[in-house]
Amino acid sequence: RRQRQMCIRDSNNNDTPYMIGDVNLDGHVDVLDATEISKYIVSISTLSDVQRELADYNHDGEINIVDATEIQKLVVGNN
């Protein structure tokens, strides 16, 4: 399974690579990231700007259950 990466420029003008879907920034895309998205959707938690970029897994401009589902499918190998 191939995981996509993106670079995000910080306030010091440095590009930092992240895996798309790694919402909790632990270096892995797993069910914990899908859980973070679900918690964000129902306003149980907040996400930083970087986390919001990474949470929009399907790049449609919205963070919703579709993103969480796509991450779950990645984790079980159904994507």
Side-chain angles (χ1 to χ4, degrees):
R1 106 186 135 170
R2 185 171 174 232
Q3 294 181 340
R4 301 171 297 162
Q5 287 192 335
M6 72 180 338
C7 286
I8 298 175
R9 185 159 291 159
D10 64 21
S11 60
N12 295 322
N13 219 24
N14 297 315
D15 287 336
T16 303
Y18 294 98
M19 283 185 289
I20 298 171
D22 182 17
V23 180
N24 65 0
L25 306 174
D26 68 354
H28 307 281
V29 178
D30 54 29
V31 71
L32 297 176
D33 299 298
T35 301
E36 285 300 316
I37 291 172
S38 297
K39 289 167 47 179
Y40 174 78
I41 292 168
V42 296
S43 302
I44 292 174
S45 67
T46 60
L47 299 176
S48 70
D49 291 343
V50 169
Q51 288 174 303
R52 284 193 302 274
E53 288 273 344
L54 300 173
D56 184 13
Y57 190 79
N58 64 354
H59 300 288
D60 67 353
E62 298 180 29
I63 300 169
N64 54 37
I65 198 64
V66 174
D67 299 298
T69 301
E70 289 300 315
I71 290 173
Q72 290 171 339
K73 287 166 53 177
L74 171 75
V75 170
V76 297
N78 286 337
N79 63 339

